[in-house]
Amino acid sequence: MERGTIPVSELPGGLDLYLTLESGQTYLWGRDDGRMYDGERPDGAWYYTVVDDASSDPDPDVVRVRVQDGSLEWETTAGADAEETVRRLLRLDDDLEAVVAATPDDPLLAEAYDTHRGLRLVEDPAFGCLISFICSAQMRVSRIHSMVSTVAREYGTPVEFDGRTYHAFPTPAQLAAATEDELRELGLGYRAPYVVRTAEMVADGDAHPAEARDLAYEEARDYLCQFVGVGDKVADCVLLFSLGFDQAVPLDTWIRSAIEDYYPDCDCGSYAATSRAIREQFGGEYAGYAQTYVFHHLRTGE
DNA sequence: GCCCAGGAAATAT
DNA sequence: ATATTTCATGGG
């Protein structure tokens, strides 16, 4: 096992683990106290996730992190590049101060950024992120997290670490072996066939969400829309929370209400046109960062 | 019971 | 192309 600490003061703009991992952008992390998304900030709890080993080792790696005494502590079963993995997953090398500085001076954005200092975007693995947001349709964030956790527990590879059993998110092949009826029994409802069919597409080699990374932004969004259960909004979430498209602004219910209340001129009818307008309103390059802060700010009312 | 939740697909106009 | 309808399900 590898471990280390990183002083939060060394991270430009700081780090708030609770905001980063419980603001509804990732559903692939859990908390060792078993709670998550109940609106209460934990006191020094470990957050964990399980990632595929970068090398040829078939065993997935557990990564866990917590903040204690002003430092980010990390531990992982990963060998080489362990700290690099943590830095990538939590985007610790992002300069949050530069992100805020590059964002337009706007009352709503200023309030959102000011209220939730230290919230960073995450970089989730592409397949797990894709399935997470297929499941997100018409669901509350707490239920999305429990659905994704259940799917991992039922179909993902188990990994032992520090006396506990963790589960990787299932591979495309593992999830493609599930049946629609099984997933309905796990509470996925009408999303069940979407998940199975998308997993089959990836497992069969027809397409892979990670391939969108090499495309131009709007082409990447169109590419992701070929998966069953994926429309423009879910595609934007995968681009933003997994594939490094910081300009992506998912138009969910909260952002649409923000457009209605604060930026009515950005409502251009179609998703593509409205998306372009609000992306410009939010400063372009880091518009997705602004989106994530506004989403959390409006959704929690804090 | 009623309403809503990080929407998408099928269908109708 | 754009507008309406349908689809599950737990929690308030």
Side-chain angles (χ1 to χ4, degrees), chain A residues 28-297:
Chain A
L28 300 176
W29 288 78
R31 234 167 69 187
D32 264 7
D33 62 7
R35 295 171 29 175
M36 195 87 168
Y37 284 115
D38 58 4
E40 291 186 40
R41 179 183 288 273
D43 187 16
W46 286 102
Y47 287 93
Y48 63 86
T49 191
V50 183
V51 295
D52 290 334
D53 196 308
S55 66
S56 54
D57 183 356
D59 290 331
D61 288 315
V62 177
V63 175
R64 71 178 187 181
V65 294
R66 67 175 175 179
V67 171
Q68 286 258 306
D69 303 323
S71 282
L72 175 68
E73 297 181 16
W74 57 266
E75 298 180 354
T76 175
T77 57
D81 302 326
E83 178 169 334
E84 203 51 42
T85 298
V86 175
R87 286 184 173 275
R88 176 173 47 81
L89 293 172
L90 297 175
R91 297 186 55 158
L92 300 181
D93 296 323
D94 283 11
D95 186 342
L96 281 186
E97 294 173 358
V99 169
V100 175
T103 303
D105 187 12
D106 166 284
L108 178 62
L109 294 180
E111 185 174 75
Y113 273 118
D114 194 53
T115 310
H116 308 288
R117 297 273 181 210
L119 167 56
R120 286 172 183 273
L121 285 175
V122 297
E123 184 173 319
D124 275 347
F127 181 67
C129 182
L130 178 68
I131 300 298
S132 294
F133 281 95
I134 288 174
C135 291
S136 76
Q138 295 294 103
M139 280 288 141
R140 288 170 215 274
V141 293
S142 58
R143 280 200 66 202
I144 300 166
H145 184 262
S146 70
M147 289 167 64
V148 172
S149 299
T150 300
V151 167
R153 189 175 65 247
E154 294 295 318
Y155 301 100
T157 301
V159 190
E160 303 294 328
F161 176 65
D162 193 33
R164 290 188 56 170
T165 302
Y166 299 86
H167 290 266
F169 192 80
T171 64
Q174 287 172 325
L175 198 49
T179 67
E180 177 182 334
D181 286 346
E182 287 172 358
L183 294 181
R184 282 182 184 273
E185 287 182 17
L186 295 179
L188 269 67
Y190 62 81
R191 305 154 196 80
Y194 301 165
V195 168
V196 174
R197 291 176 61 189
T198 288
E200 288 171 346
M201 290 174 69
V202 181
D204 292 346
D206 299 337
H208 194 291
E211 289 185 26
R213 192 186 277 276
D214 300 324
L215 304 176
Y217 167 58
E218 292 195 347
E219 293 174 9
R221 195 174 61 197
D222 288 342
Y223 178 86
L224 292 178
C225 286
Q226 74 182 288
F227 295 104
V228 183
V230 178
D232 289 319
K233 185 269 169 184
V234 166
D236 267 333
C237 287
V238 177
L239 293 177
L240 182 60
F241 304 134
S242 175
L243 300 179
F245 287 82
D246 295 350
Q247 71 271 47
V249 178
L251 300 182
D252 58 75
T253 52
W254 291 102
I255 297 303
R256 286 184 183 279
S257 82
I259 291 173
E260 185 177 345
D261 295 343
Y262 296 88
Y263 317 105
D265 292 345
C266 289
D267 184 356
C268 304
S270 74
Y271 186 101
T274 302
S275 175
R276 280 191 286 266
I278 192 66
R279 188 161 64 253
E280 197 63 24
Q281 184 76 38
F282 282 175
E285 186 180 7
Y286 298 118
Y289 248 109
Q291 189 273 0
T292 299
Y293 274 79
V294 169
F295 169 81
H296 179 72
H297 188 58

